[in-house]
Amino acid sequence: MDHYFVELGRTVFARWKTENFSFERFPQIAAQALEKRPPSKHVDLAALMRQFLLDDEQPLQSGSDFGQPELIVYENPRFYIQVLFWLEGTMDIHQHEFSGAFHVMAGSSIHSEFAFKNPQSVSAHFRVGDLRLQKTELLETGATVPIHSGAGHIHSLFHLDTPSVSVVVRTHNDPGTGPQFTYLPPHIAVDPFFSDTLTVRRKELLDVMEKTGDPAYPVLVLKMLESLDFERGFFVLQSAMGYLTNLGKWEKAWKAFQRKHGALADYVKPTLDEIVWRDGPVGLRSSVTDGEHRFFLALLLNVPSRKDILDLVARRYPGNPVETVMRWAEELSEISEVATWILDAEFPLEVRVPAEGQAEVFFAALRFFLEGGKGAAFSRAEAGYFRAAFARSSLRALVS
Ligand SMILES: [Fe+2]
C-alpha cells in the first residue's frame, strides 16, 4: 500500500471522527487534507504505479467502470480514496450521491458548474427542467475542489491532458441524495444507474432492424412512440433519431411524440438538437491530434461563451487570444475549389464571393465576431449569413 495515501486516509478519518462523521462536514475536511499535503507535490506517480503493480497488499478494488482505470489506494468502512486515470475527455454533466473532494494530481481540466432550475420529476429516474451554466474554470495540476452530494452540486470535468490523474477522497454513499443524475442539456436529467432492461433490449432489437434494413422499422417506431410513456418514448426517440432522419421519417415521428406528450415534449427538441450538435466537436476531437487544437475543440465543446473561451485561451497561451484562435482556425481550415471550411463551418453560399477569395473573407468574418462584432466589415445581411454558418457548426460559441 502507498504510504502517502494511508497517511492521508488516517488524517481524514481522525478529523472526521471529531465531527461525528457528519456528511455535511466531510467535503471541507477532505479538501483541507488534500490542500495541506497535496498529492500533486507528494506522490511520485511512477512509483505509485510500480507499487500497485508489484505489491500484493492492496485495498479491496471495486468493479466500477469509473475512471480509466480507477485504483483504490485507501479504504475504510466510512470512506475511501481513489486515484483515477483519464485517457479521454468526458463531458458528462452530473451530480453525486457521495461527498468528499477531488484533486488534480496530473494534467488539467475544464471544470463547469451548473444549476438545474424549475425541476419537475416525471418519474423517480427522469426529470425535466432548465440546466444553467453557473461558471467555467480551468483547473491546473494541484487544484482541489470539494464535492457535495445531491442536486446542489452539478458539474462536469473535461480532462485536457493524457493521461489526466485525479485523486478523490469520498464517502461510499450519502443516503437520501440519489439518484446520481446525469444531465442532458438544456432540459433533461436521467438516472444512469437505473436499468430499464426492457427498453435497452427494445433499442438493441431496433438496432438489429436498422442494420438489416428491415422495412418495418419506421412503422414500428411510430407505433411505439404513439403508445409509450414520456420517459421510455424519449429514449426510443433519441436512439432512433439518426436513422429516422436518414429515412426521411423524422418529422412524422417527432409529430407523433409531440401529439402524445404536449407541453412536456417542449423539453425534448432542444435536448435532442444539443445531442446532435455535440456529435460535431466530439467527432472532430477524435480525428485531431495536435494538443493546441484538441484544447480549442475542448473549449468549443464545453464553454458556451466567446468571452469565456478567449479568457481560458489567454490563461494557457500567452499573447492576444483572438490571434491565437485565428491561427488555430487557419490551421483547421480546408480550402478547395468547391468549398471553404473552417473546421465544420462551411462558407455560406448566400454570400457571393468567388471560390478563390472565400477563405480570406471567411477568416475576416470570424475575426469580426471574435472581436465582438466591431467595425462594419460586412452588410447586415452578410453578417447574418456568416453568423448562421458559424452557429450551425462547432464554432457556435464564438458567435454567442
Ligand atoms: Fe463529478
Side-chain angles (χ1 to χ4, degrees):
M1 283 197 275
D2 183 273
H3 293 297
Y4 169 86
F5 287 112
V6 172
E7 275 306 303
L8 179 67
R10 285 178 182 160
T11 305
V12 169
F13 183 82
R15 184 78 189 78
W16 196 24
K17 193 173 141 190
T18 67
E19 300 282 352
N20 293 317
F21 302 118
S22 150
F23 286 128
E24 286 73 31
R25 297 282 299 125
F26 191 65
Q28 201 193 342
I29 291 167
Q32 277 174 351
L34 285 165
E35 274 164 359
K36 197 160 178 221
R37 283 193 76 217
S40 55
K41 290 216 179 101
H42 293 273
V43 177
D44 176 346
L45 187 58
L48 173 77
M49 290 161 78
R50 184 184 158 81
Q51 181 276 129
F52 192 86
L53 291 170
L54 299 179
D55 181 0
D56 272 341
E57 198 188 329
Q58 298 294 341
L60 180 67
Q61 300 302 305
S62 77
S64 148
D65 57 5
F66 192 65
Q68 299 165 321
E70 169 204 60
L71 313 183
I72 294 181
V73 290
Y74 176 84
E75 59 157 341
N76 175 294
R78 296 203 175 250
F79 74 98
Y80 62 105
I81 302 175
Q82 49 187 186
V83 171
L84 300 165
F85 289 75
W86 299 102
L87 297 172
E88 287 294 322
T90 67
M91 66 239 144
D92 271 1
I93 302 168
H94 58 274
Q95 68 186 59
H96 293 290
E97 204 177 346
F98 61 83
S99 48
F102 72 90
H103 172 86
V104 184
M105 187 160 113
S108 56
S109 309
I110 298 171
H111 183 232
S112 305
E113 291 185 356
F114 302 82
F116 198 52
K117 304 281 188 191
N118 317 311
Q120 238 188 93
S121 278
V122 176
S123 76
H125 307 284
F126 197 95
R127 285 183 190 170
V128 293
D130 302 306
L131 190 73
R132 308 240 171 89
L133 179 67
Q134 304 291 299
K135 76 166 190 190
T136 298
E137 60 188 337
L138 194 60
L139 296 181
E140 306 278 12
T141 302
T144 297
V145 178
I147 301 168
H148 298 272
S149 49
H153 185 209
I154 302 171
H155 75 162
S156 72
L157 264 178
F158 192 93
H159 306 290
L160 293 165
D161 306 290
T162 307
S164 284
V165 183
S166 36
V167 173
V168 185
V169 179
R170 53 162 290 180
T171 58
H172 292 276
N173 179 284
D174 294 1
T177 59
Q180 198 158 274
F181 281 113
T182 288
Y183 292 83
L184 308 175
H187 295 308
I188 288 179
V190 301
D191 174 359
F193 296 104
F194 173 60
S195 175
D196 172 5
T197 44
L198 176 60
T199 303
V200 171
R201 291 292 180 254
R202 282 175 170 169
K203 288 196 296 184
E204 288 170 354
L205 190 58
L206 286 172
D207 288 345
V208 172
M209 295 178 77
E210 175 184 339
K211 289 197 173 103
T212 55
D214 192 319
Y217 182 103
V219 182
L220 287 173
V221 170
L222 200 66
K223 282 194 184 300
M224 289 171 83
L225 294 174
E226 283 165 354
S227 76
L228 284 172
D229 54 281
F230 181 64
E231 180 179 338
R232 293 186 299 164
F234 169 77
F235 288 121
V236 169
L237 196 65
Q238 179 194 0
S239 155
M241 176 171 52
Y243 189 46
L244 287 173
T245 305
N246 291 346
L247 293 173
K249 306 281 186 189
W250 167 252
E251 275 306 313
K252 205 170 169 191
W254 170 246
K255 291 261 159 61
F257 184 83
Q258 221 177 7
R259 260 196 314 277
K260 169 93 180 156
H261 300 291
L264 269 184
D266 295 345
Y267 291 102
V268 170
K269 192 61 174 33
T271 303
L272 292 177
D273 287 346
E274 186 65 16
I275 291 169
V276 171
W277 178 81
R278 280 173 175 254
D279 284 345
V282 169
L284 288 166
R285 249 183 82 91
S286 67
S287 61
V288 166
T289 52
D290 177 86
E292 290 190 18
H293 294 165
R294 285 178 64 79
F295 175 69
F296 182 39
L297 285 166
L299 292 181
L300 294 172
L301 192 55
N302 291 282
V303 186
S305 99
R306 174 180 57 88
K307 190 187 160 299
D308 289 344
I309 288 181
L310 292 176
D311 285 350
L312 292 171
V313 169
R315 275 198 58 182
R316 205 164 159 108
Y317 297 99
N320 180 342
V322 169
E323 299 308 326
T324 308
V325 170
M326 285 306 299
R327 173 168 62 77
W328 290 335
E330 285 175 32
E331 289 162 357
L332 289 163
S333 65
E334 224 179 287
I335 299 155
S336 77
E337 280 161 26
V338 283
T340 302
W341 297 81
I342 302 177
L343 270 174
D344 53 352
E346 187 178 11
F347 188 91
L349 293 174
E350 297 91 342
V351 181
R352 302 258 171 232
V353 174
E356 63 274 15
Q358 284 181 0
E360 196 185 325
V361 177
F362 211 13
F363 290 131
L366 182 60
R367 180 180 288 280
F368 170 75
F369 290 115
L370 281 173
E371 288 173 346
K374 286 188 211 103
F378 305 99
S379 72
R380 252 179 106 101
E382 283 173 337
Y385 293 131
F386 285 123
R387 180 186 290 279
F390 289 127
R392 279 192 295 272
S393 77
S394 299
L395 298 164
R396 179 178 77 178
L398 301 180
V399 297
S400 66

